[in-house]
Amino acid sequence: MSEHHSSDPKAEGDGAAEAPVFTPRKNGQAQGVSEELAAWMRTGWADTEIRDPEPIEQAAYTAKRRAALSARFPGERLVVPAGNLKTRSNDTEYPFRPSCDYVYLSGDLSDDGCVVLEPRPGGGHDATVYLRPRSNRENGEFWLDGHGELWSGRRHSLAESAQRLGTDTDDVRRLPEVLRDAPAAPVRILRGHDASLEELVAGVRAGGAEDGEAAAERDEELAVALHDHRLVKDEWEVAQLQRAVDATVRGFGDVAAALPEARATSERYIEGTFFLRARVEGNDVGYGTIAASGPNATTLHWMRNDGPVREGELLLLDAGVETTTLYTADITRTLPVSGRFDPVQRRVYDLVYAAQEAAIAAVAPGRPFTEYHEVAQRVLAEGLVEWGLLEGPADRVVELGLQRRYTLHGTGHMLGLDVHDCARSRTEVHLHGELRPGTVLTVEPGLYFQPDDLTVPEELRGIGVRIEDDVLVTAEGNRVLSAALPRTADDVEAWLAERLPRG
Ligand code: GLY
Ligand code: MN
Ligand code: MN
């Protein structure tokens, strides 16, 4: 009999007696468990099943996203895994983060989960989220296994999850047999997250003699379709991104106030200060914090964060809080450690700011995605020509891309569940596409003068400046989600002055 649970609130409990017998891992735990102890551990527990759990607030949105995917792949079975725990060392594991597409379609965050869209004979799909059920009391799993309830915490029961997610649920341990016994239909799986499920699907396909290369292409189409759809955020996603940004703004404020302590320690203090805010208000940081002081700011992804934070230097902080729903902000501010820019630092800062201002103005519906990048590059090129660092005219510089020696990276990217969101979407709708209302992206020009770059005057060497904001494309133009943080040099100084304890 199936342990299938419908999202119908009247559905019954998890059917503990049907679960496979638990085999303890060889960690010594199971040895020496007497019959008496095992029997006693099965009894004396209160019924803690939650009869009427609150549905997750995004349930209506996940349903719409599944419907869009269903319409894109009629008659096909679609398998989107969350992924599994990864060993960190011996018997410890990395903190788990489910695959973004699984989260997008289900709202669930469990390891080993899997969304399956099963084609209905009459058209459309039925969605089931396959999960590990709450750990079993009858077979001792709950206290003998390292992932049992008394070791790792309580998982939702299948019935609870059905109600919370607004989908049917089933035991993920049944998924192999479900996929093997399902009526013949083309199958697509999202690759890269669950090797054993991929192997299983490959086996099912081999039965249907499907060509490996064709299968890989079809799976890639599923991944691309999901990223295409994620390009335009729904209103719930925009609200999550705003939450991520707001928490990040508070984290930047914490860092400003902690600069004196950081000066006495290292960039690690900056990273740790921001991380505290991320953990308290969210799930984590959405990517490794870049806390780069002085010349370290010229390394684009400086994440070692083990350098000193010195008076007179610029601190480049690129950081983002990831919400508990896994949406991330991605914001950079370049702050004078002592509270005031010196004239050279200010000159570099002002040019990056001018590039960002121009780029933000180019973010509007119907504009090509590449336009804001080109606008920023042009402003930087013109400035560098004016300073005599590059030989003009600016047209020639831009055509040859010569400004890239000092700016290195693109001006932004999509933002969402992934910090570099929708990376697999089709070029024609993304990089060569037009901005649409609901797109969220970063605008992040920068200038980086390497400490050993003999083509720049000595006074510029070792200065790195990036200003990065998160911007929503609206029907009328855009909204800077991170507008609560100061951007002009004067505003940054005033903002620091309010926060830096003055001695
Ligand atoms: N934090 C990485 C980036 O700005 O893209
Ligand atoms: Mn960034
Ligand atoms: Mn970015």
Side-chain angles (χ1 to χ4, degrees), residues 330 413 442 444 468:
D330 180 10
H413 51 83
T442 68
E444 51 173 311
E468 176 172 28

Side-chain angles (χ1 to χ4, degrees), residues 32 40 48 111 113 153 186 193 213 221 237 251 263 276 290 417 428 434 445 497:
W40 189 37
T48 53
D111 55 291
H193 301 289
E213 223 167 275
E221 283 167 6
E237 291 185 288
R263 283 205 292 269
L276 179 62
I290 297 166
L417 284 161
E428 58 267 39
E434 289 181 351

Side-chain angles (χ1 to χ4, degrees), residues 2-8 11-12 14 102 108 114 127-133 156-172 174:
S2 159
E3 285 187 54
H4 188 92
H5 285 265
S6 107
S7 51
D8 173 353
E12 38 182 287
D14 269 356
Y102 173 82
D108 181 62
C114 187
T128 301
V129 181
Y130 288 83
L131 296 162
R132 276 188 299 135
H156 288 291
S157 71
L158 294 178
E160 288 168 356
S161 290
Q163 273 226 58
R164 291 182 67 252
L165 305 178
T167 61
D168 289 355
T169 58
D170 204 339
D171 188 333
V172 71
R174 281 186 7 87

Side-chain angles (χ1 to χ4, degrees), residues 287-288 290 301 318-319 330 332 413 419-420 442 444 466 468:
Y287 54 92
I290 297 166
H301 285 167
D318 182 342
D330 180 10
T332 306
H413 51 83
V419 62
H420 297 157
T442 68
E444 51 173 311
R466 177 160 67 252
E468 176 172 28

Side-chain angles (χ1 to χ4, degrees), residues 170-191:
D170 204 339
D171 188 333
V172 71
R173 292 168 299 188
R174 281 186 7 87
L175 190 50
E177 97 190 46
V178 168
L179 289 176
R180 276 193 295 262
D181 298 348
V187 189
R188 297 183 198 249
I189 182 167
L190 183 74
R191 296 194 185 192

